[in-house]
Amino acid sequence: MDLSLPEEIVALKATVTRLFEREVLPVMDGYEDRAQFPRPLIESLGNAGLFGAAFPEALGGSAMGFLA
């Protein structure tokens, strides 16, 4: 039984890790200190196609599947 992840999922993980390290981690403490919802970050992640991964593009998702 092969339990390794498909290449596209490994690449997605690396991309998301870089995005979070660059965009989210540096500013997240400020949002928490202000008890503010990080709307710009959420919009940025949505624009990157990271929401709705399991849903088809016709419904606004990115059709990457549940594993993604």
Side-chain angles (χ1 to χ4, degrees), residues 6-68:
E7 287 182 33
E8 53 273 356
I9 299 298
V10 173
L12 176 63
K13 180 182 175 194
T15 298
V16 171
T17 298
R18 282 191 306 273
L19 179 67
F20 269 72
E21 288 172 346
R22 188 179 61 239
E23 306 277 332
V24 176
L25 291 179
V27 298
M28 200 61 224
D29 284 341
Y31 283 104
E32 290 181 4
D33 292 342
R34 295 185 304 271
Q36 184 182 19
F37 185 77
R39 186 168 306 279
L41 291 177
I42 299 301
E43 290 174 358
S44 173
L45 297 173
N47 290 337
L50 299 178
F51 293 133
F55 298 103
E57 292 177 7
L59 297 176
S62 55
M64 290 188 282
F66 284 102
L67 185 58

